[in-house]
Amino acid sequence: MNVDDFAEQRPLFVLENFFSGSLRGWGITLSRMGSFQNRFTIEAHGRYEASANTLSLKETYSFEDGHRDVLTWTIINRGDGNYDGRETLIDGTANGRQSGNAFQWKYHREVPAADGSKTKFGFNDRFFPHDENHMTVHASLTKLGIEFATIHAFYERI
């Protein structure tokens, strides 16, 4: 996906606007071959500090097997549709690009499992709003350059 292909599409997606405030979400993970792996819910809260162009976002993923994954993001709007982000379990910086009604977010992160182990995956997240309160996310998880799984999630502002 080339995010610039969505430049003329609406509604316009502005990451810091959508993720400011409280959100909830639902999703599933599918294996590389499309079989069901797990189901999860998301509770999120974000706060945008306009003077610093910074979004602070905390997302809590609760999986049906009982384990949780908490992501605490600091995301900076660099202008011209470019974003950088940091989170405790990612390597370096996440890189984001927004254009029209789409946003793409790429990073590598250690993902905790129910048994406490962690596996490093590459993430290629693509965000598409339906309206100002609802959004779909499709994520591709890779390991050693091979797609290992996909995540399909839906967010709702509350």
Side-chain angles (χ1 to χ4, degrees), residues 52-64:
N53 284 332
T54 302
L55 172 68
S56 298
L57 175 64
K58 181 178 181 180
E59 299 175 290
T60 302
Y61 289 75
S62 299
F63 294 87
E64 63 187 348

Side-chain angles (χ1 to χ4, degrees), residues 61-105:
Y61 289 75
S62 299
F63 294 87
E64 63 187 348
D65 66 5
H67 87 281
R68 294 171 47 156
D69 187 8
V70 178
L71 291 83
T72 304
W73 290 99
T74 301
I75 302 169
I76 300 170
N77 182 338
R78 299 288 185 194
D80 295 326
N82 295 299
Y83 291 78
D84 292 336
R86 296 208 180 271
E87 199 275 330
T88 56
L89 294 178
I90 68 169
D91 286 342
T93 303
N95 297 300
R97 176 95 178 110
Q98 181 275 327
S99 184
N101 74 342
F103 181 79
Q104 187 170 28
W105 193 232

Side-chain angles (χ1 to χ4, degrees), residues 13 15 18-19 23-26 59 101 103 126-138 153-157:
F13 181 68
L15 183 80
F18 188 85
F19 282 104
L23 301 101
R24 63 182 168 200
W26 305 264
E59 299 175 290
N101 74 342
F103 181 79
R126 291 155 293 201
F127 299 68
F128 301 96
H130 295 279
D131 56 38
E132 65 184 28
N133 293 316
H134 301 91
M135 178 181 56
T136 298
V137 179
H138 175 83
F154 306 92
Y155 281 86
E156 178 179 46
R157 291 173 48 82

